[in-house]
Amino acid sequence: MKPFKIDTLIIDNRVREERITKNYLKSLPDAHVRFVDNADGYNELLQGESPANGKRTIFLTKKKGHVLKQCPGTDRSYRCCNYQVINQTAGCPIDCTYCILQFYQSTPLTTVYADTDNIIEEIRQKVRSQPERFFRIGTGELTDSLAFDDFSNFSEEIIPVFAELPNALLELKTKSDIVDSLLEIDHQGNVVCSWSMNPPSAVDGEEFKSAPLEQRLDAMGRVQDHGYKLGLHFDPILYYEHWEKEYHQLIKRLFQTVHPESVAWVSMGSLRFPPDMKDKITSKFPKTNIVYQELIKGNDGKMRYVKPLRLQLYRSIYHWMRKYGGEDLFLYFCMEDSDIWERVMGWSPESNEHLDYLFAESLYQRFPELMDSPPQREAYESGTPLHHTELM
């Protein structure tokens, strides 16, 4: 894929000596650089900036409050998995028609919290405070985990931290093929490299500036050969003409590259977005048809496909995943109710905490080197929730 273009760096003077800041400056010698004081707000910074330029502007600053937070999907309306996110970067250079960041993010600038040592200490303290639990923690909630890695080298900072933590996995979730730096890092098996999966027609028509499918598959094969675990995210699954044939071909092709025994987990979720986001999608992407299917407002207030259509999509994906990936794959739904679980898989987690425990149990059974002893369900039932993330 083509390198992402960054032409402006706005640097909070409080982080001008941080390693991440220096990495950006070294990687982008031709970028326009502006240093600022009193950078807690965006009003001054946004003068002269436009949304069109925002994806090419990086604002490096110091973190405020917690950076390690609970996934915003963790909710009682649907079964969710108590996943944790590191919001070190907010903003993404990839342009997906369905991306919820275009609705929630209040500034066009990409914000990077550059005080890495403080972020790492927060992670260590949280994970060590509950040694009886196994944490799944990712960086891809408010950004693509690897899109900026050639500039920031953040993976070189964060992966060694998880390599030494006995009760946590780091997930790097991406639509890119930016993996060269990962191949030089000693990850100790504690990192999952995950990719969003959609057929080529959906990638070309809805996921602009992302890596084509074949490039993603090549990147998967490379990290797999270097001992990384893999994650697969069929989310959002999209309904369109010929979807059935194309998803079938995709999954068959996927397992020509991916070894099922390398796969830590597979998620499934359908298109969903806040009702007010429809106008933004149609205005920014007038050629897309994703908002014109049969949609209904769900329990969480988001628009999603009607249940019969979701069941049709999920049953097909689930069948093909089992056919080509085998019965040992850990498959789960993202933000779906127990009825969907029951009608597609024949069972449902009893609660969010139960699903969290089932992740740990599956990981222990398939990758026993990750844990010193089998997970105990009581540890997940009594876990103290993290702060919920606030989308910027």
Side-chain angles (χ1 to χ4, degrees):
M1 62 186 294
K2 295 181 180 179
F4 297 111
K5 183 174 177 56
I6 304 298
D7 54 29
T8 303
L9 297 175
I10 301 174
I11 301 173
D12 182 340
N13 275 316
R14 295 175 298 178
V15 298
R16 67 187 302 162
E17 298 300 321
E18 296 286 351
R19 293 186 299 277
I20 293 293
T21 303
K22 291 180 178 179
N23 289 341
Y24 270 100
L25 288 169
K26 181 179 179 180
S27 301
L28 298 164
D30 297 326
H32 173 68
V33 179
R34 176 152 52 107
F35 291 95
V36 296
D37 289 314
N38 303 318
D40 289 333
Y42 284 100
N43 290 338
E44 177 185 350
L45 301 179
L46 289 177
Q47 291 180 10
E49 304 290 345
S50 70
N53 295 331
K55 285 182 176 286
R56 300 198 300 269
T57 301
I58 302 290
F59 171 45
L60 294 116
T61 188
K62 189 173 182 177
K63 79 180 185 78
K64 294 175 62 179
H66 295 279
V67 171
L68 179 60
K69 302 183 180 183
Q70 198 164 29
C71 173
T74 302
D75 176 288
R76 298 294 162 176
S77 302
Y78 297 102
R79 286 288 179 263
C80 298
C81 67
N82 288 339
Y83 184 72
Q84 319 298 330
V85 294
I86 304 168
N87 290 334
Q88 182 263 352
T89 297
C92 184
I94 296 174
D95 246 352
C96 297
T97 58
Y98 52 76
C99 181
I100 204 167
L101 288 182
Q102 63 189 307
F103 180 75
Y104 279 121
Q105 196 166 348
S106 59
T107 171
L109 305 180
T110 296
T111 300
V112 175
Y113 296 112
D115 50 334
T116 307
D117 289 342
N118 291 332
I119 294 170
I120 289 173
E121 183 58 25
E122 181 181 341
I123 295 167
R124 284 175 172 153
Q125 286 184 10
K126 183 60 195 182
V127 171
R128 289 171 176 169
S129 72
Q130 297 182 53
E132 73 284 358
R133 295 188 63 196
F134 194 82
F135 288 83
R136 290 165 292 110
I137 301 175
T139 61
E141 185 64 34
L142 302 183
T143 190
D144 183 287
S145 293
L146 297 177
F148 297 111
D149 208 49
D150 283 347
F151 309 131
S152 69
N153 301 121
F154 184 62
S155 63
E156 295 181 13
E157 299 274 355
I158 196 67
I159 287 176
V161 175
F162 281 82
E164 67 180 30
L165 290 174
N167 60 321
L169 270 181
L170 172 67
E171 182 179 29
L172 302 174
K173 191 183 300 183
T174 189
K175 292 186 178 78
S176 80
D177 60 353
I178 302 172
V179 299
D180 286 350
S181 64
L182 303 185
L183 308 183
E184 306 298 325
I185 304 173
D186 182 9
H187 55 82
Q188 292 292 309
N190 283 19
V191 178
V192 178
C193 296
S194 294
W195 273 267
S196 297
M197 302 304 301
N198 265 316
S201 62
V203 171
D204 295 342
E206 312 294 342
E207 298 175 356
F208 302 107
K209 302 179 185 177
S210 68
L213 175 63
E214 286 302 319
Q215 291 183 22
R216 297 185 202 185
L217 291 172
D218 178 70
M220 287 182 203
R222 294 168 67 199
V223 299
Q224 178 178 247
D225 289 345
H226 280 74
Y228 285 93
K229 296 172 178 60
L230 299 179
L232 306 172
H233 294 287
F234 290 82
D235 191 0
I237 301 169
L238 301 173
Y239 178 81
Y240 57 93
E241 188 177 10
H242 307 308
W243 71 267
E244 193 166 15
K245 177 182 178 181
E246 293 190 9
Y247 275 102
H248 186 185
Q249 292 174 338
L250 165 65
I251 295 170
K252 184 177 181 179
R253 172 68 184 88
L254 174 66
F255 285 104
Q256 292 172 357
T257 297
V258 170
H259 304 150
E261 61 270 20
S262 299
V263 178
W265 50 66
V266 181
S267 74
M268 295 181 288
S270 65
L271 176 69
R272 53 199 180 274
F273 56 87
D276 292 344
M277 188 170 142
K278 178 179 178 179
D279 291 340
K280 288 200 172 188
I281 294 174
T282 55
S283 174
K284 186 176 181 181
F285 303 102
K287 293 184 179 180
T288 187
N289 293 316
I290 63 170
V291 297
Y292 299 117
Q293 305 300 333
E294 191 173 1
L295 301 167
I296 191 171
K297 187 180 288 188
N299 296 333
D300 57 358
K302 294 178 182 177
M303 304 303 297
R304 57 181 64 215
Y305 298 136
V306 294
K307 182 169 283 190
L309 180 53
R310 302 205 314 275
L311 284 168
Q312 183 183 2
L313 292 168
Y314 290 147
R315 284 169 173 159
S316 296
I317 300 294
Y318 181 78
H319 170 71
W320 295 322
M321 290 302 299
R322 290 297 185 213
K323 178 178 179 179
Y324 297 107
E327 293 298 319
D328 290 336
L329 288 178
F330 185 82
L331 282 81
Y332 70 101
F333 289 111
C334 184
M335 297 182 70
E336 281 293 356
D337 61 27
S338 57
D339 184 57
I340 289 285
W341 284 78
E342 291 282 358
R343 294 170 68 176
V344 175
M345 296 192 191
W347 69 281
S348 172
E350 298 169 12
S351 63
N352 293 352
E353 292 77 13
H354 184 213
L355 180 54
D356 191 5
Y357 163 73
L358 292 174
F359 267 93
E361 182 183 53
S362 173
L363 289 168
Y364 178 75
Q365 291 173 350
R366 291 178 301 121
F367 309 104
E369 71 279 1
L370 286 174
M371 306 176 203
D372 295 331
S373 59
Q376 302 299 313
R377 184 170 175 180
E378 294 77 11
Y380 297 83
E381 296 293 345
S382 60
T384 302
L386 293 178
H387 299 267
H388 279 270
T389 186
E390 294 179 2
L391 289 170
M392 299 180 66

